[in-house]
Amino acid sequence: MKETVMAKFKAGDTVTVLDDSFTGKVKGYKKDRVVVVTTDGFELEFSESELVKTQTGDMQALFSGRSVSSILKEKQEPAKRSFVKEKKPKKDGFVLEVDLHIEKLVKNKRGMSNYDILTLQTETAKSQLDFAIRNRLPRVVFIHGVGEGVLKAELDFLFGRYDGVIVSDGDYQKYGGGATEVYIKQNPNR
């Protein structure tokens, strides 16, 4: 005599197929496969492990006490991780970025001559560099833009009057050619 195994599904149960996006009703069993009639009227066979019983109406599935969404999350491919890391020296820490574009410094530049604009930009750069030196910040990036190079030349002249600073072009990938980076040598005896 054949031993009876408790079937997971019975005729009329609404089920969802895990690896596909359709639902249907259980028609019965054919050998050890579950026969499902899809909402389109097709009869398909699945193993019990491929199906999740759902309640009609709210489509909340119960499968070993787990919801359909948690089961479907397991079936999805994990997101690819990016292993590209931006290398930053640990000693540099905080970097002060100062944008010297005139639109960032004043609400309206109407009525300002080119001399007034250049003077405001260089005075802002000087005050920010003095601030960084006073507060022992290791680096300051001055964003000046590419333009004709007038502001960059003024900044180079300004930074040349400071002792204990190293001036270089800013990170090209981040700022293009429109930034100057100033490294401030720290005197530990201060």
Side-chain angles (χ1 to χ4, degrees):
M1 190 166 174
K2 193 173 183 182
E3 188 178 313
T4 356
V5 178
M6 183 81 166
K8 191 183 279 188
F9 304 104
K10 63 181 188 282
D13 285 348
T14 304
V15 291
T16 299
V17 181
L18 283 177
D19 291 329
D20 248 317
S21 60
F22 62 83
T23 60
K25 292 201 180 277
V26 174
K27 183 176 182 181
Y29 279 81
K30 188 177 198 181
K31 295 187 181 175
D32 60 341
R33 310 269 301 160
V34 182
V35 179
V36 176
V37 179
T38 66
T39 52
D40 297 325
F42 295 105
E43 283 189 16
L44 301 171
E45 295 180 15
F46 298 97
S47 69
E48 286 184 341
S49 62
E50 295 176 292
L51 301 172
V52 177
K53 187 176 180 181
T54 58
Q55 296 174 352
T56 316
D58 68 351
M59 292 303 290
Q60 177 64 40
L62 301 173
F63 184 78
S64 306
R66 298 183 302 165
S67 67
V68 169
S69 59
S70 69
I71 295 169
L72 291 176
K73 280 182 187 175
E74 288 177 13
K75 291 286 186 177
Q76 292 173 348
E77 284 188 41
K80 303 251 189 247
R81 289 182 53 199
S82 172
F83 291 101
V84 178
K85 285 179 128 179
E86 186 178 330
K87 294 180 181 176
K88 292 182 182 177
K90 291 179 183 174
K91 65 178 183 175
D92 288 350
F94 177 76
V95 177
L96 177 63
E97 285 186 357
V98 181
D99 194 340
L100 296 174
H101 287 92
I102 193 64
E103 302 85 28
K104 301 289 183 177
L105 301 177
V106 294
K107 286 185 178 182
N108 188 352
K109 68 177 184 172
R110 189 174 301 158
M112 292 181 76
S113 68
N114 287 344
Y115 175 79
D116 294 336
I117 292 171
L118 187 60
T119 303
L120 177 64
Q121 291 171 320
T122 52
E123 286 175 358
T124 302
K126 181 179 181 340
S127 69
Q128 291 297 316
L129 184 57
D130 290 340
F131 172 83
I133 292 170
R134 268 193 321 273
N135 291 291
R136 304 180 60 79
L137 299 176
R139 293 187 323 170
V140 184
V141 175
F142 293 94
I143 303 168
H144 47 72
V146 179
E148 295 176 19
V150 177
L151 178 57
K152 181 171 176 31
E154 283 293 318
L155 292 176
D156 288 342
F157 178 74
L158 172 70
F159 300 148
R161 297 190 304 187
Y162 283 85
D163 290 330
V165 298
I166 301 170
V167 180
S168 66
D169 289 336
D171 182 7
Y172 188 79
Q173 288 182 330
K174 188 171 183 181
Y175 305 107
T180 299
E181 193 162 6
V182 178
Y183 292 90
I184 302 166
K185 296 178 186 175
Q186 300 295 331
N187 183 359
N189 298 329
R190 270 193 198 177

